[in-house]
Structures are given as C-alpha cells and as structure tokens.
C-alpha cells in the first residue's frame, strides 16, 4: 500500500548517490513501491557527478547518500555536499562498516542515518519523509525566530544606541551633530541643547590631531581606533579611541562615529606598568646588592683568613696589635655587608624565618663571649641576668634572635663611655606550651634626645652629626624592629640624655624538651685523627685557595688537600681518585658549584655520589634556611669563615661518611 506523506509540502525530488548498481536498483524499487514517481528520482554514482547534477536540477532537494563512494569515501563526501549545498536535506545510507560514524554524520549536518541492511520497502519512504519534515520544522523555527527579531529590529538598534557606554553620533564634516546618544553628551560633559549649538570637532584635542583624523576619514572612507583626546566643557581631558565611517548621500555628507573613553583603562594600564617597573627595579636592586655582597665577601675571606694565619705565627706585641686591627676592621666591614643584605631583604618583603628548637642559655652565653672583649676594650661591664622561669629549650629563629640582641648590645657599647651594658631576660607570660619572653638591653651611655626617639627605628636615621660619635649607618635598629615585629613581637626604648637607654622587645616561643644528642663529635675527632684526611678543595680564587689550605694544614698536619680550579676539574679528579670530603665554592668559571654537585649526586657511582659536600661560598643566601640542601650539598660555610666552624663541620661529615657508613 502506498505510504501517505505526513506532510504535503515534502519535495518529491530525490537524488540517490550510490555506486553499487544492485543497491541503486533496490532503493529505486522500494521508493517506487512507496509511490515515489520514477521521474522524481535520479541516481548519480559519485560526488562529482552529483555536484554537477544538483547545479543543473536544483529542484532535487533531498539526497540519499551512500558513504562508500569512489571520490568521497566516508565523511568526506557528506562534508563536501553540505558545504556546496547547505539547504539540501541529506540522508546517509551506510553499510555495517560505517555504523560507528552515525553521530558524526548527524553532527556534520545529515538529517538521518539509515543502515542499508535494514532497508525495507515499508521503512525507506517514511524515513525519508520524517527526515524531510524534521528539516523543515527546524528551518521554520529558525525562520520564525529570525522574523521575530526583524519585527523588533528597529527597537533593538535603538536600545543598543541608547544604552551604549560609547558615544555614538552622526555629524557633518564640520562637526555639527545630526543625531547622538546619551553617552555622547556625557562624554563631552555638555547638555543636549548645548551640544547641538557647537561643532564637536572643536573639542578634539589637539587641533592638529583633529585634522589628521578628518584627513584619514575622508581619504580612506573609514577610520578605526584612532587615538584622540577630548576636551570636556570643564577643561578636563579624556583619552579616547574614535572609529568612524563616511556617509555620503545626495542630501548629506558627514560620518557616523563611535568614541570609546579609555581614560580609566589607560590609568590602570599606567599603574600596572609603574608597578611592573617598580617590581623589576626592586628585583634588580636586590640582585645588585646580593652580587656586591658576594664580591665584598670574597676578598674579605682572604683578609680575614690571612690575618688568622699571621696571628698564629711568632709576632711581636706591636705586630699583634696591627693584625688584630685588620681583623677588627674586617669584622666591621662584614657587619655592614650583613646589614645591607638584611635591609634589602626587608625592603623586598623577603624576610623568612627558620624556626627550630634551640638552647636559649647557650645562645645567650655565646653572645656574651663574642661581645665580652668589645666591652672590655672600652672598660665597660657586661652582664647577663636570666630571671626565674626561663625555659632552656625554646622553638624559634635562633640566628634572628642573636642578630637582634647583637645589634642592641653593640649599640649599647658603642654609645657608652662609662659604666656598662646589661641584658635581662624575663618571663612575662607562660601557658602550657608557650612562653612570652622580654629581653631588655640597658646601658649607662649618652642617651637619646626625646625628640629623636621616635625616629631611631627608621632606616638611615643618624641623630647626631657624623664624626661626633661612633654613629654608623642607621640600619641596626630598623633591622631589629623588623625582625621583632615580623615575628609578632614589640620593640621599644626609653632613654634619658646623659643617663643611658633601655631597649626592650618581647617574643613568643614554644617551649621544648631538652634532648641529649649522641656525642658524635668527640668520637669522630678521635677516629679521624688516626687516618689522613683527603680533601678536594674546589675554588677558583687563588688567594682563597691559599687561605683554606694554610688554615687546614695548620690544624691537621697530615691532611691531603687536592685543589680543583672549577667544577669540571672537580669532577675529573673525583672520577680518578678517592676523597673524604669536597669543599665546594659556588661561583666558578666553566662549571659552577651547583652543576658540579648535581653531577656528583646523580651521575657518579653510589659511594662517590654520597661524598659529603660542604658549600664554601660568599653567597649569603645559600646559607639561609638551609638552601644548600636543595642543591644537594650537606652543609655550608659562609665566607669569610671562622676556622673552628670549618674544622667542626669537616670532622662531623667525614666521620659520618667514613666511619658510620
Ligand atoms: P647605627 O648604630 O649603625 O648608627 P642604628 O640603627 O643601630 O644605627 O642606630 C641609629 C641611631 O640611634 C644611632 O646612630 C644612634 O644615634 C642612636 N642610638 C642607637 N642605640 C643607641 C644607644 N644605646 N644609646 C644612644 N643612642 C643610640
């Protein structure tokens, strides 16, 4: 029974694109049985042939497409047809092998996807009819939506015009406005009536720029994003971009323009640029200071080390005095370098704290030992008083606490001629786990005038004329203040001119348990003394090679020291010989200390790869927060180095490597 179309408007003209003759016969037969007339049905055997046919007979609006064709296998033919004839309805006829392409075909624009094997008389025509109908419904919907928009379009354009934040206007070439939106008179800051009275081109700034704009508009017929300043009624300048198109009819010559106010955007761009420049220059400054510090520490290491060596020779009393002056000056210089580094860190908000458990008593007594002789030099008394309830082990940044106290005590000694300096530690508050400690450093010195007292914690404040006293660079107190405050504490001072000053600060510490570590050092020293120590010294600076060699030989007479002048030599020598420890400079030509360490750790055989490596560097940042560990080094000796620290670390690490391993 012939199938009745569900929709009378369906085009009866169907083109079958199929190269298999038997399939053509089958489809033709099925369609004929469904009532499709023979002259409404044609067949082509390739995409090319079909393209020519469809151009000639545009009434064939429905296509049955086989997917395996000689010139358009698979999706290729479908895509080609959809592109060439976007309005035709395409139904894909596919064999089993193309089953997986079903979804892809629909996505590519096919209306339906029919399995050839399932083709039956009863199903083919209804399938075609439904596909055609779906396509039409879809097109109808689109049509409806489009026509709805076109009913409303005038209103829509009006809304866009009214609500635009950009000024939109039409004017003649003199600048007389014909039409404009609200944003136009807001931009020019004139009332609507006033705007109609003037030539807006007179508000374009500069007049030179206005002429350039009009010239470009007239000669090119349009202008896009032309930068121009607009002068408002109140004289204020707005930075703008103008885009315009010429309008030329028999009655009117002018243009339509859109002006975008970019003043605010420009401001934030400028701010962003300024911020980036500031960040970059801060970074450069920091880098510069770090480099300068390195460059100063390297020769200081030689001066300091050589002075230490000279001190150990036979010297007359006078000579000893001279050498100790050299040492003293080096120490001062080192203090300056350290302060400058610290201030640079503070200014770049790079202060980091390294919290660990430490022995507070030990720290204070060491500090007293270091400073004692300075007080003695001036005939001053130095005292330490620990009040009741001060825990021995606390959790905090030991080095920073030392730095704060050192700065305060040193100032006390510096500004006191008679009497002394005292440190008092008291327990202000204690809970189960935490203790708040107050440290007070008092002196009997010259004091600070009350009108200067607020300023002394500011950077570079010197309250007396240089040369009058021992004033330095005005960095010590700002550093102490930052170190205290950034750890959540408070710092302050009371002082009376002629009677001395009391500097105080408080800090919160977690209370720790005392642990007794294994006395490795004593054992190791004993063991090491028996065998000669084989040290590989990697250092490019000749003077510092000498300092290290002489310092070590003085301490261990049978030590074997091999010198490598850079990282490459180091690897070479380590490949060929056995050593107990590597002392590794960082900044060296050819191959630096980081690269050499990475090579040793990752490319050498197991035992060699584990050799202890001590960084010996003038780069202060390597020592901070145990950064050297990230580079694969075991520890760090900062130049200029304290010989005792070097001996202790060499002993500790070689013992672990030689004896414990
Ligand atoms: P510096 O000591 O290097 O000059 P500081 O920041 O440590 O820098 O101190 C700033 C100034 O504060 C000193 O130059 C000095 O005038 C004053 N000052 C600091 N400590 C004392 C003190 N204990 N007695 C008197 N004046 C002091």
């Amino acid at each position: 029974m012939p199938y009745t179309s569900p929709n009378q408007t369906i085009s009866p003209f169907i083109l079958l694109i199929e190269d298999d003759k038997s399939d053509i016969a089958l489809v033709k037969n099925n369609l004929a049985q469904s009532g499709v007339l023979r002259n409404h049905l044609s067949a082509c055997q390739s995409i090319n042939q079909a393209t020519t046919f469809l151009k000639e007979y545009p009434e064939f609006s429905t296509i049955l497409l086989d997917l395996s064709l000689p010139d358009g296998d698979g999706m290729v033919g479908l895509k080609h047809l959809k592109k060439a004839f976007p309005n035709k309805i395409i139904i894909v006829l596919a064999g089993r092998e193309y089953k997986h392409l079903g979804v892809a075909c629909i996505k590519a624009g096919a209306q339906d996807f029919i399995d050839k094997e399932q083709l039956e008389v009863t199903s083919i025509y209804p399938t075609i009819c439904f596909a055609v109908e779906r396509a039409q419904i879809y097109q109808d919907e689109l049509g409806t939506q489009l026509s709805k928009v076109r009913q409303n379009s005038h209103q829509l354009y009006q809304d866009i015009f009214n609500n635009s934040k950009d000024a939109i206007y039409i004017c003649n070439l003199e600048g007389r406005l014909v039409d404009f939106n609200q944003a136009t008179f807001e931009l020019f800051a004139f009332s609507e009536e006033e705007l109609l009275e003037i030539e807006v081109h007179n508000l374009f700034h500069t007049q030179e720029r206005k002429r350039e704009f009009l010239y470009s508009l007239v000669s090119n017929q349009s202008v896009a994003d032309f930068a121009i300043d607009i002068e408002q009624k109140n004289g204020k300048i707005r930075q703008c971009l103008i885009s315009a198109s010429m309008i030329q009819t028999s009655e009117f010559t002018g243009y339509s323009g859109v002006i975008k106010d970019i003043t605010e955007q420009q401001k934030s761009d400028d701010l962003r640029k300024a911020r980036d420049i500031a960040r970059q220059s801060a970074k450069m400054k920091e880098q510069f200071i770090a480099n300068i510090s390195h460059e100063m520490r390297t020769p200081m290491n030689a001066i300091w080390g050589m002075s230490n060596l000279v001190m150990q020779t036979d010297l007359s009393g006078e000579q000893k005095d001279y050498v100790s002056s050299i040492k003293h000056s080096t120490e001062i210089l080192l203090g300056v370098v350290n302060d400058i580094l610290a201030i640079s860190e503070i200014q770049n908000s790079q202060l980091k704290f390294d919290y660990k458990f430490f022995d507070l008593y030990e720290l204070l007594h060491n500090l007293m030992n270091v400073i004692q002789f300075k007080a003695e030099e001036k005939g001053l008394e130095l005292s330490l008083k620990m009040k009741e309830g001060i825990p021995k082990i606390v959790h905090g940044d030991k080095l920073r606490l030392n730095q704060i106290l050192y700065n305060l005590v040193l100032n006390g000694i510096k500004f006191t001629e008679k009497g002394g300096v005292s440190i008092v530690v008291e327990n202000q508050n204690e809970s189960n786990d935490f203790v708040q400690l107050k440290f007070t450093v008092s002196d009997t010195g010259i004091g600070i005038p009350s009108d200067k007292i607020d300023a002394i914690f500011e950077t570079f404040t010197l309250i007396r004329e240089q040369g009058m006293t021992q004033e330095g660079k005005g960095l010590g107190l700002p550093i102490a203040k930052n170190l205290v405050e950034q750890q959540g504490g408070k710092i302050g001072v009371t002082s009376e001119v002629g009677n001395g000053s009391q500097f105080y600060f408080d800090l919160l510490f977690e209370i720790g348990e005392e642990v007794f570590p294994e006395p490795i050092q004593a054992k190791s020293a004993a063991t090491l003394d028996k065998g000669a120590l084989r040290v590989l010294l990697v250092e490019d600076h000749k003077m510092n090679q000498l300092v290290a060699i002489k310092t070590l030989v003085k301490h261990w007479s049978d030590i074997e020291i091999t010198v490598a002048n850079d990282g490459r030599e180091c690897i070479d020598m380590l490949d060929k010989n056995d050593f107990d420890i590597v002392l590794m400079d960082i900044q060296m030509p050819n191959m630096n200390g980081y690269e050499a360490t990475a090579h040793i750790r990752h490319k050498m055989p197991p035992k060699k790869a584990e050799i202890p490596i001590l960084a010996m560097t003038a780069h202060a940042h390597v020592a901070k927060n145990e950064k050297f560990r990230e580079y694969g080094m075991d520890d760090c000796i900062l130049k200029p180095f304290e010989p005792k620290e070097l001996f202790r670390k060499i002993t500790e690490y070689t013992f672990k490597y030689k004896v414990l391993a």
Side-chain angles (χ1 to χ4, degrees), residues 202-397:
N202 290 336
L203 303 171
F204 285 15
H205 200 75
T206 58
Q207 288 299 301
E208 178 68 39
R209 198 75 187 133
K210 174 194 84 175
R211 276 191 287 276
E212 275 175 42
F213 161 70
L214 288 172
Y215 179 78
S216 173
L217 174 64
V218 173
S219 47
N220 302 322
Q221 294 297 298
S222 68
V223 169
D225 288 341
F226 185 92
I228 198 151
D229 289 349
I230 300 282
E231 187 175 346
Q232 294 183 318
K233 189 181 176 186
N234 54 18
K236 283 191 182 148
I237 298 284
R238 308 294 297 178
Q239 291 165 290
C240 298
L241 292 178
I242 182 168
S243 298
S245 301
M246 279 298 286
I247 304 173
Q248 233 159 347
T249 64
S250 48
E251 300 99 49
F252 178 75
T253 301
Y255 71 94
S256 62
V258 179
I259 305 181
K260 192 179 191 60
D261 185 342
I262 54 162
T263 315
E264 303 307 322
Q265 187 188 329
Q266 203 73 26
K267 261 189 215 160
S268 52
D269 282 356
D270 290 349
L271 282 176
R272 203 170 305 128
K273 261 186 225 150
R275 185 201 59 191
D276 290 348
I277 290 172
R279 274 190 191 163
Q280 200 178 344
S281 70
K283 215 169 169 187
M284 279 170 63
K285 196 170 97 187
E286 191 193 341
Q287 189 60 45
F288 172 78
I289 288 173
N291 288 345
I292 286 286
S293 140
H294 177 265
E295 294 311 303
M296 287 176 80
R297 277 168 181 276
T298 304
M300 270 157 64
N301 184 55
I303 302 173
W304 176 255
M306 289 293 178
S307 317
N308 278 333
L309 291 169
V310 175
M311 275 302 224
Q312 289 171 39
T313 59
D314 274 340
L315 294 180
S316 70
E318 196 184 355
Q319 284 168 327
K320 261 196 185 141
D321 281 350
Y322 295 156
V323 178
S324 69
S325 305
I326 297 177
K327 276 189 70 178
H328 185 61
S329 305
T330 316
E331 257 183 299
I332 292 176
L333 202 55
L334 188 60
V336 176
V337 174
N338 285 343
D339 279 357
I340 290 174
L341 267 186
I343 267 303
S344 147
E345 273 181 348
I346 289 166
Q347 286 178 344
N348 291 313
S349 317
Q350 295 229 325
L351 263 193
K352 287 191 194 86
F353 295 94
D354 185 15
Y355 293 108
K356 277 194 195 117
F357 284 106
F358 68 92
D359 186 331
L360 182 62
Y361 285 69
E362 187 184 292
L363 176 134
L364 287 162
H365 284 111
N366 283 345
L367 179 75
M368 291 294 284
N369 280 342
V370 172
I371 295 184
Q372 188 72 49
F373 81 96
K374 287 187 195 294
E376 279 167 12
E377 269 175 4
K378 287 184 82 174
L380 299 174
E381 223 178 277
L382 183 67
S383 69
L384 166 69
K385 184 167 185 187
M386 311 224 10
K387 291 203 175 165
E388 259 175 49
I390 312 288
K392 188 167 162 62
I393 305 293
V394 291
H395 194 251
D397 190 323

Side-chain angles (χ1 to χ4, degrees), residues 339 407-416 421 441-449 452 455-464 466 469-480 493 495 500-503:
D339 279 357
N407 275 344
L408 297 183
V409 176
L410 225 58
N411 273 351
I413 295 174
K414 206 155 70 172
F415 298 105
T416 304
V421 179
V441 178
S442 310
D443 65 61
T444 55
I446 56 176
I448 301 160
K452 298 281 168 32
I456 56 166
F457 289 107
E458 304 294 326
T459 321
F460 308 120
T461 304
L462 304 174
I463 63 177
R464 295 171 191 88
Q466 284 264 289
T469 63
Q470 285 203 31
E471 282 185 85
K473 46 217 176 301
L475 291 177
L477 291 177
I479 290 170
V493 58
S495 183
S501 318
Q502 297 79 41
F503 283 86

Side-chain angles (χ1 to χ4, degrees), residues 408-637:
L408 297 183
V409 176
L410 225 58
N411 273 351
I413 295 174
K414 206 155 70 172
F415 298 105
T416 304
E417 297 308 321
K418 232 195 255 161
V421 179
S422 70
I423 307 172
V424 177
V425 189
E426 37 192 329
N427 179 339
Q428 285 219 303
N429 228 323
E430 192 180 331
S431 69
N432 279 350
D433 302 322
F434 289 91
V435 61
Q436 188 182 22
L437 297 180
K438 181 178 178 185
F439 299 82
T440 308
V441 178
S442 310
D443 65 61
T444 55
I446 56 176
I448 301 160
S450 54
D451 60 329
K452 298 281 168 32
I453 214 153
D454 289 337
I456 56 166
F457 289 107
E458 304 294 326
T459 321
F460 308 120
T461 304
L462 304 174
I463 63 177
R464 295 171 191 88
E465 260 179 60
Q466 284 264 289
M468 298 280 287
T469 63
Q470 285 203 31
E471 282 185 85
K473 46 217 176 301
L475 291 177
L477 291 177
I479 290 170
K481 180 179 156 79
N482 273 284
L483 292 178
V484 170
E485 290 182 350
Q486 293 200 27
Q487 294 186 83
K490 271 196 220 71
I491 190 166
V493 58
T494 55
S495 183
E496 203 182 314
V497 175
N499 275 331
S501 318
Q502 297 79 41
F503 283 86
Y504 53 84
F505 64 93
D506 61 56
L507 283 175
L508 194 69
F509 295 93
E510 193 184 329
I511 302 171
E513 301 261 316
E514 201 170 346
V515 277
F516 299 96
E518 264 187 74
I520 286 179
Q521 252 130 288
K523 246 202 284 173
S524 63
T527 324
L528 279 178
D529 281 345
K530 282 182 196 150
L533 201 59
R534 293 161 303 175
V535 174
L536 179 57
L537 174 69
V538 193
E539 167 73 78
D540 64 317
H541 192 277
K542 295 285 172 216
M543 195 73 90
N544 284 336
Q545 286 177 1
L546 199 65
V547 168
I549 294 169
K550 293 285 179 198
T551 307
L552 288 170
V553 169
K554 282 245 173 219
H555 191 68
W556 285 296
S557 54
D558 57 350
I559 194 167
E560 287 171 18
I561 305 173
T562 308
V563 178
N565 289 294
D566 58 48
R568 226 176 261 161
E569 281 189 19
C570 156
I571 286 167
D572 240 31
M573 289 169 177
L574 201 56
D575 260 333
K576 291 182 194 133
N577 308 292
D578 287 328
F579 293 96
D580 302 317
I581 194 160
V582 179
L583 303 181
M584 181 80 85
D585 185 20
I586 303 260
Q587 197 170 309
M588 292 177 294
N590 301 323
M591 184 191 263
N592 66 34
Y594 302 132
E595 293 162 337
T597 304
H599 184 101
I600 295 170
R601 294 294 186 234
H602 303 297
K603 304 228 165 97
M604 291 213 156
K607 181 74 185 167
K608 282 200 177 160
E610 286 153 28
I611 190 165
I613 302 177
L614 296 190
M616 249 179 122
T617 178
H619 276 302
H621 69 92
V622 177
K624 206 167 301 152
N625 302 324
E626 306 204 331
K627 190 110 186 116
F628 49 82
R629 286 202 201 286
E630 283 172 31
Y631 304 118
M633 293 148 178
D634 295 271
D635 211 327
C636 177
I637 310 271

